[in-house]
Amino acid sequence: MTKLLKLIMTSATIGITIGYLVALSFSGLYQTRYFVPSAPTYVATFSSPLTATLISTGLWALIGIVFGLASLTFQQSNWSITHQTVVNFCLTYLGFTPLAILCGWFPLNFHWLLSFTGIFILIYAVLWSNYYLASYHEVQRLNRLLKK
């Protein structure tokens, strides 16, 4: 249980950190004179920017937790890499998408959902490919050491 709690806390912290970095990007993109957690239209739905930031912080933590818990799929040694990847992709996409909408990162309509899905698939594929190649090279290195 403590390993799971540690994973949740670490994942929430990473989610908050990445969320704040994204928010800083939004603040720069919209050339605001002060920090905003998302697009101005999102912030305007709250009573104050502070409230919007507080709610966003909770959402960012949840995003981190989604990705952290979904990473456990890769510890299922009795699953094939394909099974692990499909389950991980589904968990992250289905967990992250509604949270991204709630964060105000894109409106809920077909065009934006389709664009988001394409971007998500592209980023997922690039990250997964990098992880796979790094793992492959590590296995090759270990095999070479074993042959010595």
Side-chain angles (χ1 to χ4, degrees):
M1 181 64 172
T2 55
K3 283 185 180 181
L4 181 61
L5 186 58
K6 183 178 178 183
L7 174 66
I8 290 170
M9 296 302 293
T10 301
S11 300
T13 302
I14 292 169
I16 291 168
T17 301
I18 292 172
Y20 273 105
L21 293 173
V22 170
L24 284 172
S25 298
F26 272 111
S27 296
L29 178 68
Y30 291 106
Q31 299 177 352
T32 62
R33 295 179 63 195
Y34 52 89
F35 175 84
V36 292
S38 191
T41 53
Y42 171 81
V43 176
T45 63
F46 295 93
S47 60
S48 71
L50 180 61
T51 303
T53 302
L54 181 63
I55 298 297
S56 294
T57 302
L59 291 170
W60 300 332
L62 289 173
I63 289 169
I65 292 168
V66 164
F67 281 92
L69 292 176
S71 73
L72 294 175
T73 59
F74 292 112
Q75 294 180 6
Q76 302 303 313
S77 58
N78 57 330
W79 292 359
S80 70
I81 189 69
T82 303
H83 187 186
Q84 292 172 342
T85 301
V86 168
V87 171
N88 180 270
F89 176 86
C90 291
L91 290 174
T92 55
Y93 179 79
L94 294 173
F96 178 62
T97 302
L99 293 171
I101 293 167
L102 289 173
C103 284
W105 292 348
F106 67 94
L108 182 56
N109 65 49
F110 180 75
H111 170 74
W112 279 100
L113 188 59
L114 190 61
S115 296
F116 170 81
T117 300
I119 292 166
F120 185 88
I121 290 170
L122 179 67
I123 292 170
Y124 190 94
V126 167
L127 292 175
W128 185 89
S129 296
N130 285 335
Y131 171 78
Y132 180 81
L133 288 173
S135 297
Y136 175 80
H137 289 296
E138 180 65 12
V139 167
Q140 295 301 314
R141 185 186 72 78
L142 292 173
N143 283 337
R144 282 191 304 275
L145 289 173
L146 288 173
K147 288 180 183 178
K148 287 185 179 182

